[in-house]
Amino acid sequence: MVSSQLRSPAVLHAQSHIMAKEMLINVSAGEECRIALLEDGKLEELYMERTSATSHVGNIYKGKVTNVEPSIQAAFVDFGIGRNGFLHISDLMPSYFGGKKGSNSIEPVGRKLGRRDRPPIQQCLRKGDEIVVQIIKEGIGTKGPTLSTYLSIPGRVLVMMPGMSKMGVSKKIEDEQERLRLRKILDGLKPPKDCGFIIRTAGIGKTKLEIERDLKYLARLWETLK
């Protein structure tokens, strides 16, 4: 969005005096875009995107099943970028099981159904079915991207997983006292019924208000996405 407005390398400097936060945007038209988020003068997040190496990983699409292959328990999905994506049965949420084995299971975050507890993919999907997918791995050569119906939508503090249940703390947060503090905060929140959440390492030291604000933002985002 930025590169279409700037013709040459430039820096936009936007500062909130109240929150002591800054966003620095550096753009080389047609080459690279860099965005840095600073808090109290310290770098918090850095995003870089090169035109020649644009990644689709994390993007969410509404696609259509073009073929189902029982021999490899996978389906191929056309979602509009020119190459069909690959969706394995292990990345298909129970909500797509269509009344088959495990379809009533709402998985808690971090605990997907095992392969043996899933029905054959040919009983779940058919050619022409519409499906919402997220790219989890770029394609290589003639191979299309790897897809999943387990959506993962990151906020600043939380990661939202629609269609899953419960809330958890990232395993990367190792300090036991901090884990207990964050767990207590999570237990006091009211997440949407159809979404699970995991608190990221960025949640270390954050207040209940900050975490709750991120949860509400993600909940609104999911409603818009739906």
Side-chain angles (χ1 to χ4, degrees):
M1 290 186 292
V2 178
S3 59
S4 63
Q5 300 174 15
L6 302 179
R7 299 179 180 178
S8 60
V11 173
L12 299 182
H13 185 179
Q15 180 174 7
S16 170
H17 296 286
I18 299 176
M19 301 299 292
K21 295 182 179 180
E22 295 176 291
M23 177 183 290
L24 304 179
I25 305 174
N26 178 268
V27 178
S28 296
E31 296 180 10
E32 184 178 78
C33 175
R34 289 172 287 185
I35 301 176
L37 300 180
L38 284 71
E39 188 167 340
D40 293 330
K42 296 182 179 180
L43 181 66
E44 288 290 322
E45 299 179 51
L46 177 64
Y47 302 90
M48 297 179 64
E49 182 174 291
R50 292 182 175 87
T51 304
S52 60
T54 301
S55 173
H56 297 92
V57 172
N59 287 3
I60 296 172
Y61 301 89
K62 182 178 182 181
K64 183 174 291 186
V65 176
T66 60
N67 198 22
V68 177
E69 294 289 347
S71 61
I72 57 174
Q73 283 299 292
F76 292 91
V77 181
D78 178 7
F79 55 95
I81 69 167
R83 290 185 297 171
N84 292 345
F86 176 87
L87 174 66
H88 190 262
I89 183 63
S90 60
D91 288 311
L92 189 68
M93 294 193 76
S95 57
Y96 287 101
F97 290 176
K100 305 299 188 300
K101 181 180 179 182
S103 61
N104 294 322
S105 300
I106 299 178
E107 302 156 299
V109 293
R111 298 182 62 184
K112 291 166 57 176
L113 283 175
R115 174 65 186 86
R116 294 181 179 179
D117 296 322
R118 296 169 179 271
I121 196 167
Q122 63 270 27
Q123 294 182 17
C124 306
L125 297 176
R126 294 183 179 181
K127 182 178 180 179
D129 284 351
E130 292 187 336
I131 188 168
V132 177
V133 294
Q134 184 172 34
I135 295 181
I136 58 175
K137 184 179 179 181
E138 290 284 8
I140 300 175
T142 58
K143 184 179 179 181
T146 302
L147 308 176
S148 177
T149 58
Y150 288 90
L151 308 184
S152 178
I153 305 174
R156 294 203 65 180
V157 180
L158 299 168
V159 176
M160 177 175 63
M161 283 154 286
M164 304 194 82
S165 66
K166 299 186 178 181
M167 304 178 75
V169 179
S170 170
K171 294 179 180 179
K172 294 181 180 180
I173 300 177
E174 298 179 351
D175 184 87
E176 195 59 34
Q177 290 298 318
E178 181 64 2
R179 291 183 64 85
L180 289 173
R181 186 188 74 87
L182 293 172
R183 181 75 257 182
K184 186 176 181 180
I185 290 176
L186 292 178
D187 290 341
L189 299 179
K190 296 181 180 180
K193 293 181 180 180
D194 61 345
C195 293
F197 291 85
I198 289 181
I199 192 161
R200 309 170 61 183
T201 53
I204 295 174
K206 298 298 184 184
T207 65
K208 180 178 179 179
L209 180 61
E210 290 173 305
I211 295 172
E212 188 173 28
R213 184 184 297 126
D214 202 46
L215 186 147
K216 290 180 178 179
Y217 161 73
L218 288 170
R220 291 194 302 270
L221 179 63
W222 176 233
E223 286 302 315
T224 302
L225 187 61
K226 286 196 293 186

